[in-house]
């Protein structure tokens, strides 16, 4: 028997969702599995039975959840690695019990991906019929009254984006070939994500923008918050990848977060030294993968403790994306900031060895 590498949120957290559903006595919007209050508890965590999924301001999650209960769709906007995809998956899991109705936006996304396509063998054999039609995830979400997810909305060509206007304003999807339509069942809505860095690639038309409520996901406000996010996610990932257990290595996590925050903001934590920022994003998501890689190195090749040498290569790899300009930035940071910190000696040496 094989087990999946990464379970869907609704499967992985089935137990928590069941607990919340059992105790949930608040009003549920039509088609919802949980009340908005319980959805928020699922996302932010509640006591020891419900683990936090998203770590951030409560108000942001409340606004996002409330939006989904209205006739407007939800647009999660933010710089890379601010958990837009992560939050949208968990929202869909909690509201509809299904996070799989997903359209990935790319430059090559065709209209069939948001409307419907055809099974050409059947189309030729039988002519247009409901059986020959292949529904898109959006169409299925409408028919079943669930949440559909559109990833990277602004990467899709504008005409494909605009196919969503009728869906969102009329809540119907016409099928002219059959002289029919699919009307959205109650419970249908849409969550889209878009990356701040893609702004201007295929900006939303104003007609479409007006159908969305935009919620901007912030980068973690304080180092403590970011350390908390990284250590929780590293622990969860390590468990699901079944990496050998090794002590959390708080010191290294704090260090990676400090390095990333300083390079991201262009100034040291004490506010004294200005530094240049590299071209890469250095988001929380990258910090999580640097530490997870370090844990794998320490567990399989080290002495079972997360050491500076286990994270150094990962940090250098994350920072130096452009082999010329980023290398200069990194060298300068290493020599002017890292080297001067007395308790960072091992780390300085490990970084030098790593490149
Ligand atoms: N505030 C946060 N709370 C919980 N997890 C977070 C937070 N910020 C980042 N993460 C973690 O970072 C990882 C990346 O998040 P995700 O892929 O959702 O980012 P994204 O905003 O969709 O990025 P992109 O723009 O590159 O698509 C996830 O594992 C997520 O758990
Ligand atoms: Mg994403």
């Amino acid at each position: 028997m094989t087990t999946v590498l990464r379970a869907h949120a609704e499967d992985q957290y089935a137990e928590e969702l069941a607990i919340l559903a059992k105790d949930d006595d608040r009003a549920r919007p039509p088609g919802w599995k949980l009340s908005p209050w319980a959805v928020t508890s699922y996302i932010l965590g509640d006591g020891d039975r419900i683990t936090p999924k998203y770590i951030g301001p409560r108000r942001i999650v409340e606004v996002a959840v409330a939006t989904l209960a209205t006739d407007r769709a939800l647009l999660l906007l933010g710089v890379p690695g601010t958990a837009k995809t992560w939050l949208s998956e968990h929202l869909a899991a909690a509201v509809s019990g299904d996070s799989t109705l997903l359209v990935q936006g790319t430059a090559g996304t065709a209209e069939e991906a948001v409307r419907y396509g055809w099974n050409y063998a059947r189309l030729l054999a039988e002519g247009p019929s409901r059986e020959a039609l292949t529904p898109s995830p959006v169409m299925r979400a409408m028919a079943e009254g669930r949440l559909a997810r559109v990833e990277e909305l602004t990467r899709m060509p504008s005409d494909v984006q605009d196919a969503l206007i009728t869906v969102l304003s009329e809540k119907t999807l016409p099928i002219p070939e059959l002289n029919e339509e699919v009307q959205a069942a109650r419970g249908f809505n849409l969550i889209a994500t878009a990356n701040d860095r893609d702004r201007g690639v295929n900006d939303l038309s104003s007609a479409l923008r007006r159908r969305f409520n935009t919620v901007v996901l912030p980068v973690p406000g304080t180092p403590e918050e970011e350390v908390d996010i990284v250590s929780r996610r590293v622990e969860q990932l390590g468990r699901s990848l079944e990496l050998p257990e090794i002590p959390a290595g708080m010191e290294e996590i704090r260090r990676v977060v400090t390095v990333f925050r300083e390079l991201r903001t262009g100034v040291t934590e004490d506010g004294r030294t200005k530094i240049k920022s590299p071209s890469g994003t250095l988001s929380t998501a990258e910090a999580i993968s640097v530490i997870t890689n370090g844990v794998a190195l320490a567990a399989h090749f080290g002495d079972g403790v997360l050491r500076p040498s286990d994270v150094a290569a990962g940090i250098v790899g994350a920072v130096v994306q452009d082999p010329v300009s980023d290398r200069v930035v990194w060298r300068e940071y290493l020599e002017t900031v890292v080297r001067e910190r007395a308790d960072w000696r091992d780390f300085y040496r490990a970084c030098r060895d790593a490149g």
Side-chain angles (χ1 to χ4, degrees), residues 53-55 79-86 152 195 229 233 284-285 288:
K53 287 30 164 232
Y54 177 72
I55 297 163
V79 295
T82 40
K84 301 180 292 293
T85 304
W86 178 250
E152 309 284 0
N195 197 314
I229 297 171
R233 289 291 296 139
T284 315
I288 293 169

Side-chain angles (χ1 to χ4, degrees), residues 60-314:
I60 285 187
V61 177
E62 289 174 350
V63 171
V65 173
T67 298
L68 291 173
T70 69
D71 63 341
R72 290 184 129 217
L74 173 64
L75 176 63
L76 297 175
L77 195 69
V79 295
T82 40
K84 301 180 292 293
T85 304
W86 178 250
L87 181 59
S88 106
E89 177 182 358
H90 284 286
L91 283 171
V95 171
S96 303
D98 183 357
S99 63
T100 63
L101 297 168
L102 171 71
V103 178
Q104 179 67 49
T106 69
T109 304
E111 219 173 70
E112 286 86 69
V114 295
R115 298 178 60 199
Y116 52 87
W118 297 98
N119 174 335
Y120 286 103
R122 296 196 76 158
L123 184 64
L124 290 177
E126 304 161 10
S129 67
R130 261 304 171 100
E131 288 67 43
L133 183 144
T134 35
S136 69
V138 176
M139 187 183 231
R140 283 178 41 211
M142 292 175 75
E144 295 165 15
R146 296 173 195 255
L147 291 183
R149 297 165 55 204
V150 178
E151 279 289 310
E152 309 284 0
L153 178 63
T154 46
R155 285 188 172 269
M156 302 199 311
S158 308
D159 53 323
V160 180
Q161 291 178 14
D162 282 349
L164 290 172
I165 294 179
T166 336
V167 169
L168 294 181
S169 55
E170 310 295 325
K171 313 291 181 199
T172 175
L173 186 55
I175 312 171
E177 294 90 338
L178 302 180
N179 200 14
E180 277 182 32
E181 61 175 357
V182 172
Q183 283 187 295
R186 295 168 121 213
F188 168 73
N189 207 339
L190 194 132
I191 310 176
T193 67
N195 197 314
D196 244 3
R197 290 221 166 175
D198 290 338
R199 197 168 269 181
V201 176
N202 288 312
D203 259 343
L204 298 191
S205 65
S206 62
L208 187 56
R209 188 171 284 278
R210 276 189 290 110
R211 266 94 197 167
F212 281 102
N213 251 3
T214 304
V215 169
V216 177
L217 298 188
V219 290
T222 61
E224 292 73 34
E225 203 178 5
E226 193 159 0
V227 167
D228 186 30
I229 297 171
V230 173
S231 52
R232 276 175 199 276
R233 289 291 296 139
V234 165
E235 203 215 303
Q236 288 171 348
L237 279 171
R239 233 182 304 123
S240 74
L241 295 172
E242 295 192 26
L243 289 175
E245 289 246 356
I246 80 163
M250 276 319 260
E251 200 186 335
E252 293 314 319
I253 294 182
R254 212 163 286 133
R255 190 141 47 196
V256 170
V257 167
T258 306
V259 169
F260 276 28
R261 289 183 75 89
E262 290 184 332
L263 286 170
R264 204 189 291 150
T265 51
V267 61
T268 53
E269 253 178 1
D270 57 12
R272 291 228 194 102
T273 318
K274 279 213 163 148
I275 46 195
K276 294 196 193 83
S277 289
S279 62
T281 31
L282 299 184
S283 68
T284 315
E286 268 86 39
I288 293 169
S289 60
V290 166
I291 297 289
T292 306
N293 270 318
V295 169
L297 274 174
H300 294 300
F301 301 106
D303 55 4
V305 178
L306 190 61
R307 308 256 178 220
S309 55
D310 298 318
V311 294

